């Protein structure tokens, strides 16, 4: 993100697995560990602006089951 336009207020990440707070964990026959990165940003030009939540991930490329389960974790986190 453009740090001249946005200020980072908070960030978090977790692994897309049955144990999301265990670093590099993977499940469901996933090829490799996948994480969900989350950032809360605000516009520097308007301190009263609504905060922007950004979610970034890359789902597994090998296992359909892994993609489905990882997507469920992403969806429940966004809710």
């Amino acid at each position: 993100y453009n740090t001249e336009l946005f200020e980072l207020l908070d960030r978090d990440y977790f692994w897309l697995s049955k144990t999301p707070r265990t670093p590099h964990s993977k499940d469901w026959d996933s090829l490799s560990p996948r994480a969900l990165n989350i950032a809360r940003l605000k516009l520097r030009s308007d301190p009263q602006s609504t905060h922007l939540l950004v979610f970034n991930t890359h789902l597994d490329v090998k296992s359909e089951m892994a993609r489905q389960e990882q997507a469920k974790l992403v969806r429940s986190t966004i809710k």
Side-chain angles (χ1 to χ4, degrees), residues 28 40 53 55 65:
W28 311 294
R40 182 183 306 272
L53 279 173
F55 298 87
M65 178 186 282

Side-chain angles (χ1 to χ4, degrees), residues 49-65:
S49 69
T50 302
H51 295 175
L52 176 67
L53 279 173
V54 178
F55 298 87
N56 182 36
T57 193
H58 180 199
L59 301 178
D60 192 69
V61 296
K62 174 186 169 196
S63 167
E64 175 68 25
M65 178 186 282

Side-chain angles (χ1 to χ4, degrees), residues 15-58:
W15 304 98
L16 298 175
S17 72
K18 294 176 185 175
T19 54
R21 294 296 179 181
T22 302
H24 307 289
S25 58
K26 65 185 192 111
D27 285 297
W28 311 294
D29 197 30
S30 181
L31 181 63
S32 58
R34 302 294 184 184
L36 175 63
N37 298 291
I38 307 164
R40 182 183 306 272
L41 307 169
K42 76 171 183 176
L43 282 171
R44 290 189 181 275
S45 62
D46 182 4
Q48 302 303 317
S49 69
T50 302
H51 295 175
L52 176 67
L53 279 173
V54 178
F55 298 87
N56 182 36
T57 193
H58 180 199

